[in-house]
C-alpha cells in the first residue's frame, strides 16, 4: 500500500531539487530580496512620511515644470525596509544590488559598490541628480549594457553613476520602474529630456510585448528573505489566485504622475474611512498611508493609539482580538486587508525599535488631509498581500489575491 505514494514523493523531491527545470513562458523573472534594517536616525514612520512628502513635491515640481528644489531638512537616513534585485552592468559585468522603486524612474548605481566602467560604458556628457524623501544622489549619466535574470540584456541603457549619494546604506542604487516622466529635470543640461526606463527599453527592443511590470511580495518574519519576484512584460500566473482586477490610472493630479488609482476604504461592515479619492501604489513605501482625517477615523474605529518609539499605531491584545478587516475598494472590487494583514509582523517588532510583545499597525498617516490629489499610498505592507501589475501600455494598475492574502504570518 505504501509503495506508490513513497515512490511518487521521491520523484517529486527529485524534480523539485533539479536546477534545470524552467518555466518556459518567456517571462523575465527577477528574484527580489526583502531586507528590514533600521539604521541611522528616524523611525519607520518618519521615513515613509518623508517619502510621501517627496513624492508630492516631486509631482508638483513636474506639474510646474521646475526642478525639484525642496531639500528635506531632516538628516538623510537609510531606508528601513526595502526590496532589492541584482542587476548586472557592463561587459564584463559587475553585479549591483538595487532598490526596486515604482515611485521613481531613474536607474542608477554607485551608492555602495563603485561603478566599474568597461568596454560597453559611454559617458553621455549629462550630469544627473535626483532628490528622494530620505536621500539623494548626483553624478554623471552613462549608457551601458544592463542585464537581468538568466540572459536578458539591454545593450544601451542610460543609467546614472553616483559620485555622491546620501541615505542609501547597504544598497548600490535604484532600479526606477515608475512612469518615464519622473525622469524629467533630472539631467543637465538636457533637463527637458526623459530617460527611458529599463521597462521602456525592454519594450522598445521587442524583448517584452507589453510595457508592463508585475510585482510579487510576500509577508515574512525574517529580516532578510528572497521572497519577492519582479517580472517584466507579463504576469506570473503562479503568484496569484483568481483573476486580476484592473483600475485605470487616475486622472487626478498629482497622483497621476505615478502609478495612481482611485480607491475608497471601509473598516468592517460599514465604517467609512476614506471616500473615493486618488492616491498611488508604491513599492518604495513600507507602510500603508492614508490622509490624516481618514487616519483619525481608523483610530476611532480600532481604538489604536500612537506609539512614541516606533511612530506606529499600537493596539492592546484585546483591541487586536476585535480588529475588523479593512476593505480597499478598487474599481468596484473589494480587497480585504485582514486583521493580521493590518499588523506589523511581531517577529520584526524589535527590528523597528518596538517592543517584542506589542501589536503595531501598518496603517498610518500620509501627513495631509483628504482632497490633495494624493490621499493614500498602498505601500509594500499592502502589496505583500496582493499581487500587483503596473501596466503602462494599457494605462492601468492591477491587483489580485494571493496565497498570502489571508495568511496569519504576522
Ligand atoms: C544594515 O545597514 C547597515 C548600513 O546601512 C549595513 O552596514 C549593515 O550591513 C546592514 N545589515 C544587514 C543585516 O543588512
Ligand atoms: C477618479 O476620481 C476623480 C474624482 O475624484 C474623477 O474625476 C475621475 O474620473 C476618476 N477616475 C479616474 C480614472 O481618474
Amino acid at each position: 500500500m505504501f509503495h506508490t505514494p513513497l515512490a511518487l514523493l521521491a520523484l517529486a523531491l527529485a524534480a523539485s531539487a533539479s536546477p534545470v527545470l524552467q518555466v518556459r513562458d518567456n517571462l523575465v523573472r527577477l528574484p527580489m530580496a526583502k531586507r528590514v534594517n533600521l539604521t541611522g536616525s528616524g523611525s519607520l514612520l518618519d521615513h515613509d512620511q518623508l517619502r510621501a512628502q517627496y513624492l508630492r513635491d516631486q509631482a508638483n515640481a513636474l506639474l510646474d515644470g521646475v526642478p525639484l528644489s525642496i531639500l528635506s531638512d531632516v538628516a538623510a537616513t537609510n531606508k528601513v525596509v526595502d526590496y532589492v534585485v541584482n542587476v548586472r552592468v557592463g561587459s564584463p559585468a559587475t553585479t549591483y544590488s538595487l532598490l526596486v522603486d515604482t515611485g521613481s524612474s531613474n536607474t542608477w548605481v554607485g551608492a555602495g559598490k563603485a561603478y566599474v566602467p568597461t568596454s560597453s560604458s559611454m559617458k553621455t556628457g549629462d550630469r544627473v541628480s535626483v532628490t528622494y524623501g530620505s536621500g539623494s544622489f548626483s553624478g554623471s549619466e552613462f549608457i551601458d549594457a544592463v542585464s537581468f535574470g538568466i540572459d536578458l540584456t539591454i545593450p544601451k541603457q542610460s543609467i546614472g553613476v553616483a559620485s555622491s549619494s546620501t541615505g542609501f546604506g547597504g544598497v548600490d542604487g535604484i532600479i526606477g520602474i515608475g512612469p518615464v516622466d519622473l525622469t524629467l529635470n533630472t539631467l543637465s543640461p538636457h533637463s527637458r529630456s526623459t530617460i527611458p526606463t529599463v521597462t521602456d527599453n525592454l519594450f522598445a527592443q521587442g524583448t517584452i510585448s507589453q510595457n508592463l511590470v508585475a510585482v510579487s511580495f510576500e509577508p515574512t518574519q525574517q529580516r532578510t528573505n528572497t521572497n519577492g519576484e519582479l517580472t517584466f512584460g507579463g504576469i506570473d500566473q503562479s503568484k496569484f489566485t483568481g483573476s486580476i482586477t484592473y483600475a485605470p490610472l487616475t486622472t487626478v493630479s498629482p497622483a497621476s504622475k505615478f502609478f495612481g488609482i482611485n480607491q475608497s476604504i471601509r473598516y468592517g461592515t460599514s465604517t467609512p474611512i476614506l471616500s473615493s479619492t486618488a492616491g498611488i501604489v508604491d513599492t518604495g513605501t513600507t507602510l500603508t498611508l492614508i490622509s490624516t482625517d481618514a487616519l483619525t477615523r481608523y483610530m476611532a474605529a480600532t481604538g489604536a493609539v500612537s506609539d512614541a518609539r516606533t511612530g506606529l499605531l499600537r493596539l492592546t491584545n484585546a483591541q487586536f482580538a476585535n480588529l475588523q478587516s479593512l476593505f480597499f475598494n478598487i474599481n468596484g472590487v473589494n480587497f480585504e486587508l485582514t486583521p493580521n494583514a493590518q499588523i506589523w509582523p511581531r517577529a520584526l517588532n524589535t527590528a523597528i525599535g518596538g517592543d517584542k510583545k506589542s501589536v503595531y499597525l501598518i496603517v498610518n498617516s500620509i501627513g495631509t488631509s483628504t482632497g490633495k490629489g494624493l490621499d493614500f499610498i498602498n505601500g509594500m505592507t499592502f502589496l505583500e498581500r496582493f499581487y500587483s501589475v503596473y501596466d503602462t501600455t494599457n494605462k492601468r494598475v492591477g491587483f489580485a489575491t494571493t496565497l498570502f492574502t489571508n495568511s496569519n504570518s504576522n
Side-chain angles (χ1 to χ4, degrees), residues 35-40 78-79 167-171 223-224:
R35 307 170 329 159
V36 179
N37 185 5
L38 178 59
T39 57
N78 293 327
K79 273 207 63 75
F168 293 96
V171 295
R223 279 175 185 246
T224 62

Side-chain angles (χ1 to χ4, degrees), residues 248-252 262:
L249 290 178
T250 189
T251 52
V252 178
N262 288 352

Side-chain angles (χ1 to χ4, degrees), residues 12-22:
L13 285 173
S16 64
S18 162
V20 294
L21 276 183
Q22 289 287 336

